[in-house]
Amino acid sequence: MKKLIALLAAVFLLLPGCGTQRTPDTGYTKYSAQFYGTFDTVVQIVGYCKTEEEFSRYAGQIKSRMEELHRLYDIYYEYSGENNLKTVNDMAGKAPVTVREEILDLIEFCEEWYGKTDGKVNIALGPVLSVWHKYMARYSADPTDAKLPDMNILREKLTLCNIEDVIVDREAGTVYLAKEGMSLDVGAVAKGYAAELACREAYQSGFTSFIVSAGGNIVAGDAPLDGVRSGWGIGIQDPFTAQEPGGGNSIDVAYVRNTCVVTSGDYQRFYMVGDRRVHHIIDPDTLMPADYYRGVTVITPDSGIADLASTTLYTLPFERSRAMAEAMGWEVMWIFADGTVECTDGMLPLLRDRGGATGLL
Ligand code: AMP
Ligand code: MG
């Protein structure tokens, strides 16, 4: 049954008709497609091409690359004939594992950014996060008697979360987790990192006017080739209505091209303990969900960095979060629990309601 669901989920839906929109004066047509089965989410692709055949080729290229990266970065399942992050986790404390370059690149990318961003996003936090994942899975399905994990257990797990114990040997092409019980969790960054690789490669192949959304993790290419618009409108989810049927409203719309828009929020994965919303972004210093914001949206040209940045900024108090965003040159919107919204100066001109979307003119 699981296999069947996985198979169905992997079916690629190209949507001719409803996914096709002619723009006769430019010679380009707008096409769209979507597929399931990678990174726990739906991937939607919209792009302008001369022919449907051309669009299908690019969409297929993005799909197969996302599938390949999903297999490599999967921490739950292994795939025959291929070492992936699950293999690395299973071999913790035992032996280095030979892996593909994409795994070495992702780990080194995360190590580099760990150093630059106060160590808030730590891919070695697996032992702590897996406790939270178990609670999340159990109590989001049935909130009866929902509770928080035991702090003593979380503290004990933290002793196995030192990123210095993740040993990458480029020459040997291996990764080794130096202590038994260690594990990597790349949930904060892998989806954005994979989307970046897949979209960059498709762009280099000639797919230039597109927008790809991997579960709200957006990569925007050149402007739509409709002869009218100079950017793509990206709705920023209103966290206060996210649970409403149909997914709720946008709190604003960002107009962008050649950049990425990624959001971290407390409404994406959570369970309730009484009135308290217990969500999936864990502050490694308190070992509890970070509670400064309902949502943080980052705009920056690299989707891997945007994904890591939104999770990082989410775990930092506002002054520090804002200072980091400004120092890094990220454009950011923070949405607080009382509904207040703050933005970096460069974010405002990109926004339709707050800044008139003048930034792209
Ligand atoms: P995102 O939705 O990109 O903000 O990432 C959230 C996911 O990242 C969670 O579901 C966890 O798998 C993982 N995660 C949560 N907190 C951390 C953290 N402090 N460091 C690294 N990964 C984390
Ligand atoms: Mg993230």
Side-chain angles (χ1 to χ4, degrees):
M1 186 62 191
K2 239 186 182 166
K3 256 195 172 155
L4 180 67
I5 293 171
L7 208 78
L8 285 174
V11 169
F12 185 31
L13 298 171
L14 177 61
L15 303 169
C18 71
T20 306
Q21 201 175 301
R22 291 209 169 282
T23 51
D25 39 347
T26 66
Y28 287 90
T29 301
K30 181 182 177 186
Y31 297 98
S32 62
Q34 59 182 335
F35 62 90
Y36 300 88
T38 62
F39 298 96
D40 270 343
T41 192
V42 57
V43 176
Q44 292 163 307
I45 303 169
V46 175
Y48 284 81
C49 287
K50 290 227 156 111
T51 64
E52 182 166 337
E53 187 264 321
E54 191 192 353
F55 174 77
S56 295
R57 200 172 62 240
Y58 293 134
Q61 177 181 349
I62 291 173
K63 176 177 179 275
S64 29
R65 187 61 162 143
M66 289 294 280
E67 285 171 346
E68 182 177 45
L69 293 166
H70 171 91
R71 288 195 298 272
L72 292 175
Y73 299 154
D74 199 330
I75 61 169
Y76 298 107
Y77 297 99
E78 267 177 308
Y79 303 87
S80 60
E82 202 163 37
N83 288 337
N84 65 1
L85 287 184
K86 177 165 187 325
T87 329
V88 171
N89 286 349
D90 289 348
M91 292 304 283
K94 296 184 186 122
V97 177
T98 304
V99 290
R100 290 248 309 257
E101 204 174 18
E102 288 90 336
I103 293 186
L104 303 175
D105 291 346
L106 173 68
I107 294 175
E108 285 191 340
F109 170 86
C110 294
E111 287 177 342
E112 179 196 339
W113 281 94
Y114 174 89
K116 288 185 189 169
T117 53
D118 292 4
K120 286 290 191 180
V121 167
N122 174 8
I123 55 164
L125 208 57
V128 167
L129 295 174
S130 72
V131 175
W132 279 107
H133 288 320
K134 277 183 202 128
Y135 275 66
M136 187 81 61
R138 176 167 171 190
Y139 295 122
S140 58
D142 176 9
T144 320
D145 302 328
K147 51 181 186 275
L148 298 171
D150 183 335
M151 189 48 83
N152 292 322
I153 292 178
L154 293 175
R155 283 207 196 98
E156 199 187 303
K157 298 282 182 193
L158 188 62
T159 61
L160 293 168
C161 299
N162 193 341
I163 202 162
E164 268 94 59
D165 292 332
V166 180
I167 295 153
V168 173
D169 184 334
R170 270 279 166 188
E171 264 171 41
T174 59
V175 188
Y176 179 46
L177 306 184
K179 291 184 184 146
E180 202 172 331
M182 284 183 71
S183 62
L184 299 176
D185 183 322
V186 291
V189 67
K191 188 168 59 171
Y193 189 88
E196 175 67 29
L197 286 185
C199 292
R200 197 189 301 153
E201 288 159 7
Y203 191 96
Q204 281 157 4
S205 305
F207 189 42
T208 53
S209 170
F210 67 83
I211 186 161
V212 171
S213 166
N217 198 307
I218 313 277
V219 182
D222 296 350
L225 289 169
D226 59 1
V228 181
R229 293 178 295 162
S230 52
W232 302 89
I234 316 289
I236 298 174
Q237 174 79 56
D238 172 7
F240 296 90
T241 62
Q243 254 56 61
E244 286 176 8
N249 312 320
S250 296
I251 203 157
D252 210 324
V253 178
Y255 283 87
V256 297
R257 61 174 178 256
N258 301 118
T259 198
C260 301
V261 185
V262 177
T263 298
S264 288
D266 71 357
Y267 50 91
Q268 294 165 329
R269 288 176 59 206
F270 64 93
Y271 69 98
M272 300 300 291
V273 178
D275 288 341
R276 177 171 179 189
R277 182 189 291 267
V278 181
H279 65 82
H280 67 143
I281 302 171
I282 305 302
D283 181 342
D285 295 320
T286 63
L287 303 180
M288 297 295 286
D291 272 332
Y292 302 110
Y293 319 101
R294 303 262 0 238
V296 174
T297 297
V298 175
I299 303 186
T300 197
D302 183 298
S303 157
I305 295 174
D307 196 357
L308 185 133
S310 69
T311 313
T312 301
L313 297 181
Y314 193 95
T315 64
L316 290 167
F318 183 57
E319 226 170 86
R320 181 74 200 112
S321 197
R322 184 169 192 128
M324 185 179 289
E326 283 170 355
M328 296 290 176
W330 300 329
E331 301 310 343
V332 181
M333 174 190 278
W334 294 264
I335 304 170
F336 294 81
D338 65 359
T340 315
V341 173
E342 291 279 352
C343 294
T344 51
D345 294 345
M347 180 70 151
L348 286 168
L350 302 177
L351 297 174
R352 182 191 65 193
D353 300 341
R354 285 170 177 77
T358 53
L360 271 177
L361 298 179

